[in-house]
Amino acid sequence: AFKNNTNITTLDASNSNLITIGNFAFNKTTSLTTVDLRNSKVTTIGNSALSETNIMKTIYHMYNILV
């Protein structure tokens, strides 16, 4: 969905109805530094969804995520 997008710095899915982050969705988003999934409905993060990104400074998460 956003593969190779270098403008994205934050993924904020907190309090959202998002259930799945698909395979390679944010792959190579080299400016991504923050992922916030607090209080979201995310249960699945697909293969390589967040791979090849720069070091994540902050990752907020929830329980029961299948990777």
Side-chain angles (χ1 to χ4, degrees):
F2 299 100
K3 184 176 179 179
N4 295 315
N5 186 320
T6 58
N7 296 316
I8 297 173
T9 59
T10 302
L11 166 57
D12 185 354
S14 61
N15 300 305
S16 74
N17 290 320
L18 181 67
I19 296 171
T20 300
I21 298 174
N23 296 340
F24 299 96
F26 292 92
N27 178 263
K28 298 182 182 180
T29 53
T30 54
S31 297
L32 185 65
T33 58
T34 303
V35 175
D36 188 347
L37 302 176
R38 290 178 292 177
N39 301 314
S40 73
K41 296 182 179 180
V42 173
T43 57
T44 304
I45 298 176
N47 294 327
S48 300
L50 298 168
S51 68
E52 298 186 54
T53 60
N54 285 336
I55 295 172
M56 306 278 232
K57 293 182 180 178
T58 309
I59 301 176
Y60 298 104
H61 63 281
M62 55 177 262
Y63 298 108
N64 301 320
I65 293 180
L66 304 174
V67 180

